[in-house]
Amino acid sequence: MQYSEVYLCGLDECGCVGATAKGAVKTGVTVKMIRDCIGRRFPDKKVQKKRRRLRAMGVKYISMNRSREEKKTEV
């Protein structure tokens, strides 16, 4: 199965979720991280550094709340 876009959520943004995002981008997949569905266990400074690196690679951060609001306006 081939895909071109993934939406990620999970328990550790600086760990497995970040690594999955990085790997997907390296294979040419568009990555969207669902910001309010990702846990963290590291200090904010480390999380912000990770986000800067992932954004520089092309990862986009989205919010589930914003997505719901956008859907309401589409109806």
Side-chain angles (χ1 to χ4, degrees):
M1 177 193 258
Q2 189 173 355
Y3 50 90
S4 61
E5 182 176 63
V6 294
Y7 289 78
L8 298 178
C9 61
L11 296 175
D12 186 5
E13 186 170 0
C14 291
C16 57
V17 181
T20 300
K22 184 178 176 181
V25 167
K26 285 184 173 185
T27 63
V29 175
T30 299
V31 176
K32 295 185 180 176
M33 303 269 276
I34 307 171
R35 184 180 2 196
D36 41 350
C37 296
I38 300 173
R40 54 165 70 177
R41 60 184 197 123
F42 291 97
D44 191 55
K45 186 175 181 178
K46 182 171 181 164
V47 172
Q48 294 307 318
K49 182 177 179 181
K50 183 68 162 185
R51 285 183 181 177
R52 282 191 302 274
R53 288 182 177 170
L54 290 173
R55 282 188 176 115
M57 295 178 74
V59 172
K60 304 275 190 234
Y61 281 82
I62 63 169
S63 170
M64 286 300 296
N65 292 328
R66 186 178 329 142
S67 296
R68 286 186 196 130
E69 290 170 9
E70 289 171 0
K71 287 178 184 176
K72 287 179 188 176
T73 60
E74 292 174 359
V75 175

Coordinates of all heavy atoms in Angstrom, one line a residue:
M1 N 0.8 -1.2 0.0 CA 0.0 0.0 0.0 C 0.9 1.2 0.0 O 1.8 1.4 0.8 CB -0.9 0.0 1.2 CG -1.8 1.2 1.3 SD -2.5 1.4 2.9 CE -4.2 0.9 2.6
Q2 N 0.6 2.2 -0.9 CA 1.4 3.4 -1.0 C 0.5 4.6 -0.5 O -0.7 4.6 -0.8 CB 1.8 3.6 -2.4 CG 2.8 4.8 -2.5 CD 3.4 4.9 -3.9 OE1 3.1 4.0 -4.7 NE2 4.2 5.9 -4.1
Y3 N 1.1 5.5 0.2 CA 0.4 6.6 0.7 C 1.2 7.9 0.6 O 2.5 7.8 0.5 CB -0.1 6.4 2.2 CG 1.0 6.0 3.1 CD1 1.8 6.9 3.7 CD2 1.3 4.6 3.2 CE1 2.8 6.4 4.6 CE2 2.3 4.2 4.1 CZ 3.1 5.1 4.7 OH 4.1 4.7 5.5
S4 N 0.6 9.0 0.6 CA 1.4 10.3 0.4 C 1.3 11.2 1.6 O 2.0 12.2 1.6 CB 0.9 11.0 -0.9 OG -0.5 11.3 -0.7
E5 N 0.4 10.9 2.5 CA 0.2 11.8 3.7 C -0.2 11.0 4.9 O -0.9 10.1 4.8 CB -0.9 12.8 3.3 CG -1.2 13.8 4.4 CD -2.3 14.8 3.9 OE1 -3.4 14.4 3.7 OE2 -1.9 16.0 3.8
V6 N 0.4 11.4 6.0 CA 0.0 10.8 7.3 C -0.3 11.9 8.4 O 0.3 13.0 8.3 CB 1.1 9.8 7.9 CG1 1.3 8.6 7.0 CG2 2.5 10.6 8.1
Y7 N -1.2 11.5 9.3 CA -1.5 12.3 10.4 C -1.0 11.6 11.6 O -1.4 10.4 11.8 CB -3.0 12.6 10.5 CG -3.5 13.5 9.4 CD1 -3.7 13.0 8.1 CD2 -3.8 14.8 9.7 CE1 -4.2 13.8 7.1 CE2 -4.2 15.7 8.7 CZ -4.4 15.2 7.4 OH -4.9 16.0 6.4
L8 N -0.2 12.2 12.5 CA 0.4 11.5 13.6 C 0.0 12.0 14.9 O -0.3 13.2 15.1 CB 2.0 11.6 13.5 CG 2.7 11.0 12.3 CD1 4.2 11.3 12.4 CD2 2.4 9.5 12.2
C9 N -0.2 11.1 15.9 CA -0.4 11.4 17.3 C 0.3 10.3 18.1 O 0.8 9.3 17.5 CB -1.9 11.4 17.6 SG -2.7 9.8 17.3
G10 N 0.4 10.5 19.4 CA 1.1 9.5 20.2 C 1.5 10.0 21.5 O 1.1 11.0 22.0
L11 N 2.4 9.2 22.2 CA 2.7 9.4 23.6 C 4.0 10.3 23.8 O 4.0 11.0 24.8 CB 3.0 8.1 24.3 CG 1.7 7.2 24.4 CD1 2.1 5.9 25.0 CD2 0.6 7.9 25.2
D12 N 4.9 10.3 22.9 CA 6.1 11.1 23.1 C 6.7 11.8 21.9 O 7.2 11.2 21.0 CB 7.2 10.1 23.6 CG 8.5 10.8 24.1 OD1 8.5 12.0 24.1 OD2 9.4 10.1 24.4
E13 N 6.4 13.1 21.8 CA 6.8 13.9 20.7 C 8.3 13.9 20.4 O 8.7 13.8 19.2 CB 6.3 15.3 20.9 CG 6.5 16.2 19.7 CD 5.9 17.6 19.8 OE1 5.2 17.8 20.9 OE2 6.0 18.3 18.9
C14 N 9.1 13.8 21.4 CA 10.6 13.8 21.2 C 11.1 12.4 21.0 O 12.3 12.2 20.8 CB 11.2 14.5 22.5 SG 11.0 16.2 22.6
G15 N 10.2 11.4 21.1 CA 10.7 10.0 21.0 C 10.0 9.4 19.7 O 10.3 9.8 18.6
C16 N 9.2 8.5 19.9 CA 8.6 7.7 18.8 C 7.8 8.5 17.8 O 7.9 8.3 16.6 CB 7.8 6.5 19.3 SG 6.4 7.0 20.4
V17 N 7.1 9.5 18.2 CA 6.3 10.2 17.3 C 7.2 11.1 16.4 O 7.0 11.2 15.2 CB 5.2 11.1 18.1 CG1 4.4 11.9 17.1 CG2 4.3 10.3 18.9
G18 N 8.1 11.7 17.0 CA 9.1 12.6 16.3 C 9.9 11.7 15.3 O 10.1 12.1 14.1
A19 N 10.3 10.5 15.7 CA 11.1 9.6 14.9 C 10.3 9.2 13.7 O 10.8 9.1 12.5 CB 11.6 8.5 15.7
T20 N 9.0 8.9 13.9 CA 8.1 8.4 12.8 C 7.9 9.6 11.8 O 8.0 9.4 10.6 CB 6.7 8.0 13.4 OG1 7.0 6.9 14.3 CG2 5.8 7.6 12.3
A21 N 7.7 10.8 12.3 CA 7.6 12.0 11.4 C 8.8 12.1 10.6 O 8.7 12.3 9.4 CB 7.3 13.2 12.3
K22 N 10.0 12.1 11.2 CA 11.2 12.3 10.5 C 11.4 11.2 9.4 O 11.8 11.5 8.3 CB 12.4 12.2 11.5 CG 13.7 12.5 10.9 CD 14.8 12.5 12.0 CE 16.2 12.6 11.4 NZ 17.2 12.6 12.5
G23 N 11.2 10.0 9.7 CA 11.3 8.9 8.8 C 10.3 9.0 7.6 O 10.7 8.8 6.5
A24 N 9.1 9.4 7.9 CA 8.1 9.6 6.9 C 8.5 10.7 5.9 O 8.4 10.5 4.7 CB 6.7 9.9 7.5
V25 N 9.0 11.8 6.5 CA 9.4 13.0 5.6 C 10.5 12.5 4.7 O 10.6 12.9 3.5 CB 9.8 14.2 6.5 CG1 10.5 15.2 5.6 CG2 8.5 14.8 7.1
K26 N 11.5 11.8 5.3 CA 12.6 11.3 4.5 C 12.2 10.4 3.3 O 12.9 10.4 2.3 CB 13.6 10.6 5.3 CG 14.4 11.5 6.2 CD 15.5 10.7 7.0 CE 16.4 11.7 7.8 NZ 17.5 10.9 8.4
T27 N 11.0 9.8 3.4 CA 10.6 9.0 2.3 C 9.6 9.7 1.3 O 9.1 9.1 0.4 CB 9.9 7.7 2.8 OG1 8.7 8.0 3.5 CG2 10.8 6.8 3.6
G28 N 9.5 11.0 1.6 CA 8.6 11.8 0.7 C 7.2 11.9 1.1 O 6.4 12.4 0.3
V29 N 6.8 11.4 2.3 CA 5.4 11.5 2.7 C 5.2 12.8 3.4 O 6.0 13.3 4.2 CB 5.1 10.3 3.7 CG1 3.8 10.4 4.3 CG2 5.3 9.0 3.0
T30 N 4.0 13.4 3.2 CA 3.6 14.7 3.8 C 3.2 14.3 5.2 O 2.4 13.4 5.4 CB 2.4 15.3 3.1 OG1 2.9 15.7 1.8 CG2 2.0 16.6 3.8
V31 N 3.7 15.0 6.2 CA 3.4 14.7 7.6 C 2.7 15.8 8.3 O 3.1 17.0 8.2 CB 4.7 14.4 8.4 CG1 4.4 14.1 9.9 CG2 5.4 13.2 7.8
K32 N 1.6 15.5 9.0 CA 0.8 16.5 9.8 C 0.8 15.9 11.2 O 0.3 14.8 11.4 CB -0.5 16.7 9.2 CG -0.4 17.4 7.9 CD -1.7 17.8 7.3 CE -1.5 18.5 6.0 NZ -2.8 18.9 5.3
M33 N 1.3 16.6 12.2 CA 1.3 16.2 13.6 C 0.0 16.9 14.2 O -0.1 18.1 14.1 CB 2.5 16.7 14.3 CG 3.8 16.2 13.6 SD 4.4 14.7 14.3 CE 5.3 15.2 15.7
I34 N -0.8 16.1 14.9 CA -1.9 16.6 15.6 C -1.5 17.0 17.0 O -1.4 16.2 17.9 CB -3.0 15.5 15.7 CG1 -3.3 15.0 14.3 CG2 -4.3 16.1 16.3 CD1 -4.2 13.8 14.2
R35 N -1.2 18.3 17.1 CA -0.6 18.9 18.3 C -1.3 18.6 19.6 O -0.6 18.2 20.6 CB -0.5 20.4 18.1 CG 0.1 21.2 19.1 CD 0.1 22.7 18.8 NE -0.7 22.8 17.6 CZ -0.8 23.8 16.8 NH1 -0.1 24.9 17.1 NH2 -1.5 23.9 15.7
D36 N -2.6 18.6 19.6 CA -3.3 18.4 20.9 C -3.6 16.9 21.1 O -4.3 16.6 22.0 CB -4.6 19.2 21.0 CG -5.4 19.3 19.7 OD1 -4.9 18.9 18.6 OD2 -6.5 19.8 19.7
C37 N -3.0 16.0 20.3 CA -3.1 14.6 20.5 C -1.7 13.9 20.7 O -1.5 12.7 20.4 CB -3.8 14.0 19.4 SG -5.5 14.5 19.2
I38 N -0.7 14.7 21.1 CA 0.7 14.2 21.3 C 1.1 14.5 22.7 O 1.0 15.7 23.1 CB 1.6 14.9 20.3 CG1 1.2 14.6 18.8 CG2 3.1 14.3 20.5 CD1 2.0 15.3 17.8
G39 N 1.6 13.5 23.4 CA 2.1 13.7 24.7 C 3.5 14.1 24.7 O 4.2 14.1 23.7
R40 N 4.0 14.4 25.9 CA 5.4 14.8 26.0 C 5.9 14.4 27.4 O 5.1 14.5 28.4 CB 5.6 16.3 25.8 CG 4.7 17.1 26.6 CD 5.1 18.6 26.7 NE 4.8 19.3 25.4 CZ 5.0 20.6 25.3 NH1 5.5 21.3 26.3 NH2 4.8 21.1 24.2
R41 N 7.1 14.0 27.5 CA 7.7 13.7 28.8 C 9.0 14.5 29.1 O 9.6 14.4 30.1 CB 7.9 12.2 29.0 CG 8.8 11.7 28.0 CD 8.9 10.1 28.1 NE 10.1 9.7 27.4 CZ 11.1 9.0 28.0 NH1 11.1 8.7 29.2 NH2 12.2 8.7 27.3
F42 N 9.3 15.4 28.1 CA 10.5 16.2 28.2 C 10.2 17.6 28.5 O 9.0 18.1 28.2 CB 11.4 16.0 27.0 CG 12.0 14.7 26.8 CD1 11.4 13.7 26.0 CD2 13.1 14.3 27.5 CE1 11.9 12.5 25.8 CE2 13.7 13.1 27.3 CZ 13.1 12.1 26.5
P43 N 11.1 18.4 29.0 CA 10.9 19.8 29.2 C 10.5 20.6 28.0 O 10.9 20.2 26.8 CB 12.2 20.4 29.8 CG 13.0 19.2 30.2 CD 12.5 18.0 29.4
D44 N 9.8 21.7 28.1 CA 9.3 22.5 27.0 C 10.4 22.9 26.1 O 10.3 22.9 24.8 CB 8.6 23.7 27.5 CG 7.8 24.4 26.4 OD1 7.0 23.8 25.7 OD2 8.1 25.6 26.2
K45 N 11.6 23.2 26.6 CA 12.7 23.7 25.8 C 13.1 22.6 24.8 O 13.4 22.9 23.6 CB 13.9 24.0 26.7 CG 15.1 24.6 26.0 CD 16.2 25.0 26.9 CE 17.3 25.7 26.2 NZ 18.4 26.1 27.1
K46 N 13.2 21.4 25.2 CA 13.5 20.3 24.3 C 12.4 20.0 23.3 O 12.7 19.8 22.1 CB 13.8 19.0 25.1 CG 14.2 17.8 24.2 CD 14.7 16.6 25.0 CE 15.1 15.6 24.0 NZ 15.9 14.5 24.6
V47 N 11.2 20.1 23.7 CA 10.1 19.9 22.8 C 10.1 21.0 21.7 O 9.9 20.7 20.5 CB 8.7 19.9 23.5 CG1 7.5 19.9 22.6 CG2 8.6 18.7 24.5
Q48 N 10.3 22.2 22.1 CA 10.3 23.3 21.1 C 11.5 23.1 20.1 O 11.3 23.4 18.9 CB 10.5 24.7 21.8 CG 9.2 25.1 22.6 CD 7.9 25.0 21.8 OE1 7.9 25.4 20.7 NE2 6.9 24.5 22.5
K49 N 12.6 22.7 20.6 CA 13.8 22.4 19.7 C 13.4 21.3 18.7 O 13.7 21.4 17.5 CB 15.0 22.0 20.5 CG 16.2 21.7 19.7 CD 17.4 21.4 20.6 CE 18.6 21.1 19.9 NZ 19.8 20.8 20.7
K50 N 12.8 20.3 19.1 CA 12.3 19.2 18.3 C 11.3 19.7 17.2 O 11.4 19.4 16.0 CB 11.7 18.0 19.1 CG 11.3 16.8 18.3 CD 12.5 16.1 17.8 CE 12.2 14.7 17.4 NZ 13.4 14.0 17.0
R51 N 10.4 20.5 17.7 CA 9.4 21.1 16.7 C 10.1 21.9 15.7 O 9.7 21.9 14.5 CB 8.4 21.9 17.5 CG 7.4 21.0 18.2 CD 6.3 21.8 18.9 NE 5.4 21.0 19.6 CZ 4.4 21.4 20.3 NH1 4.1 22.7 20.4 NH2 3.6 20.5 20.9
R52 N 11.0 22.7 16.0 CA 11.7 23.6 15.1 C 12.4 22.7 14.0 O 12.4 23.0 12.8 CB 12.8 24.5 15.7 CG 12.2 25.7 16.4 CD 13.2 26.7 16.8 NE 14.2 26.2 17.7 CZ 14.1 26.1 19.1 NH1 13.0 26.6 19.6 NH2 15.0 25.6 19.8
R53 N 13.1 21.6 14.5 CA 13.7 20.7 13.5 C 12.8 20.0 12.6 O 13.0 19.9 11.4 CB 14.5 19.7 14.3 CG 15.8 20.2 14.9 CD 16.5 19.1 15.6 NE 17.8 19.7 16.2 CZ 18.5 19.0 17.0 NH1 18.2 17.7 17.4 NH2 19.6 19.5 17.5
L54 N 11.7 19.6 13.1 CA 10.7 18.9 12.3 C 10.0 19.9 11.3 O 9.8 19.5 10.2 CB 9.6 18.2 13.2 CG 10.1 17.0 14.0 CD1 9.0 16.5 14.9 CD2 10.5 15.9 13.0
R55 N 9.7 21.1 11.8 CA 9.1 22.1 10.9 C 10.1 22.4 9.7 O 9.7 22.6 8.6 CB 8.8 23.3 11.6 CG 7.5 23.2 12.4 CD 7.1 24.6 13.0 NE 5.8 24.5 13.7 CZ 5.6 24.6 15.0 NH1 6.6 24.9 15.7 NH2 4.4 24.5 15.5
A56 N 11.4 22.5 10.1 CA 12.4 22.8 9.0 C 12.4 21.6 8.0 O 12.8 21.9 6.8 CB 13.8 22.9 9.7
M57 N 12.0 20.4 8.4 CA 12.0 19.3 7.4 C 10.7 19.3 6.6 O 10.5 18.5 5.7 CB 12.1 18.0 8.2 CG 13.4 17.8 8.9 SD 13.4 16.2 9.8 CE 13.5 15.0 8.4
G58 N 9.7 20.1 7.0 CA 8.4 20.2 6.3 C 7.2 19.7 7.1 O 6.1 19.6 6.5
V59 N 7.4 19.2 8.3 CA 6.3 18.7 9.1 C 5.4 19.9 9.5 O 5.9 20.9 9.8 CB 6.8 18.0 10.4 CG1 5.7 17.7 11.3 CG2 7.6 16.8 10.0
K60 N 4.1 19.7 9.3 CA 3.1 20.7 9.7 C 2.4 20.2 11.0 O 2.2 19.0 11.2 CB 2.0 20.8 8.6 CG 2.5 21.1 7.3 CD 2.7 22.6 7.1 CE 3.0 22.9 5.6 NZ 4.2 23.6 5.4
Y61 N 2.1 21.2 11.9 CA 1.4 20.9 13.1 C 0.0 21.5 12.9 O -0.2 22.6 12.5 CB 2.1 21.6 14.3 CG 3.3 20.9 14.8 CD1 4.5 21.0 14.2 CD2 3.2 20.0 15.9 CE1 5.6 20.3 14.6 CE2 4.3 19.3 16.3 CZ 5.5 19.4 15.7 OH 6.6 18.7 16.1
I62 N -1.0 20.6 13.3 CA -2.4 21.0 13.2 C -3.0 20.8 14.5 O -2.5 20.1 15.4 CB -3.1 20.3 12.1 CG1 -3.2 18.8 12.4 CG2 -2.5 20.5 10.7 CD1 -4.1 18.0 11.5
S63 N -4.2 21.4 14.7 CA -5.0 21.2 15.9 C -6.3 20.5 15.6 O -7.0 20.9 14.6 CB -5.2 22.6 16.6 OG -6.1 22.5 17.6
M64 N -6.7 19.6 16.4 CA -8.0 19.0 16.2 C -9.2 20.0 16.4 O -10.1 20.0 15.7 CB -8.2 17.8 17.2 CG -7.4 16.6 16.9 SD -7.8 15.9 15.3 CE -9.5 15.4 15.5
N65 N -9.0 20.9 17.4 CA -10.0 21.9 17.6 C -10.2 22.8 16.4 O -11.4 23.0 16.0 CB -9.7 22.8 18.8 CG -9.7 22.0 20.1 OD1 -10.5 21.0 20.2 ND2 -8.9 22.3 21.0
R66 N -9.2 23.2 15.8 CA -9.3 24.0 14.6 C -9.9 23.3 13.4 O -10.8 23.8 12.7 CB -7.9 24.5 14.1 CG -8.0 25.5 13.0 CD -6.7 26.1 12.5 NE -5.7 26.2 13.5 CZ -4.4 26.0 13.3 NH1 -4.0 25.7 12.1 NH2 -3.6 26.2 14.3
S67 N -9.6 22.0 13.3 CA -10.2 21.2 12.3 C -11.7 21.1 12.4 O -12.4 21.1 11.5 CB -9.6 19.8 12.2 OG -8.2 19.9 11.9
R68 N -12.2 20.9 13.6 CA -13.6 20.8 13.9 C -14.3 22.1 13.5 O -15.3 22.1 12.9 CB -13.9 20.5 15.3 CG -13.6 19.0 15.7 CD -14.0 18.7 17.1 NE -13.3 17.5 17.5 CZ -12.7 17.3 18.6 NH1 -12.5 18.3 19.5 NH2 -12.1 16.2 18.9
E69 N -13.7 23.3 13.9 CA -14.2 24.6 13.6 C -14.3 24.8 12.1 O -15.3 25.3 11.5 CB -13.4 25.7 14.2 CG -13.6 25.7 15.7 CD -12.6 26.6 16.4 OE1 -11.9 27.4 15.7 OE2 -12.5 26.6 17.6
E70 N -13.2 24.4 11.4 CA -13.2 24.5 9.9 C -14.3 23.7 9.3 O -15.0 24.1 8.3 CB -11.9 24.1 9.3 CG -10.8 25.1 9.7 CD -9.4 24.7 9.3 OE1 -9.3 23.5 8.8 OE2 -8.4 25.4 9.6
K71 N -14.5 22.5 9.8 CA -15.6 21.6 9.3 C -17.0 22.3 9.4 O -17.8 22.1 8.6 CB -15.6 20.3 9.9 CG -14.4 19.4 9.5 CD -14.4 18.1 10.2 CE -13.1 17.3 9.8 NZ -13.0 16.0 10.5
K72 N -17.2 22.9 10.6 CA -18.5 23.6 10.8 C -18.8 24.6 9.8 O -19.9 24.8 9.4 CB -18.5 24.2 12.2 CG -18.6 23.1 13.4 CD -18.6 23.8 14.7 CE -18.5 22.8 15.8 NZ -18.4 23.5 17.1
T73 N -17.8 25.4 9.4 CA -18.0 26.4 8.4 C -18.2 25.9 7.0 O -18.7 26.6 6.2 CB -16.8 27.5 8.5 OG1 -15.6 26.8 8.1 CG2 -16.7 28.1 9.8
E74 N -17.7 24.7 6.8 CA -17.9 24.1 5.5 C -19.3 23.6 5.2 O -19.7 23.5 4.1 CB -16.9 22.9 5.3 CG -15.5 23.3 5.2 CD -14.6 22.1 5.2 OE1 -15.1 21.0 5.2 OE2 -13.3 22.3 5.2
V75 N -20.1 23.3 6.3 CA -21.4 22.8 6.1 C -22.4 23.8 5.7 O -22.3 24.9 5.6 CB -21.9 22.2 7.5 CG1 -23.3 21.7 7.4 CG2 -21.0 21.0 7.9

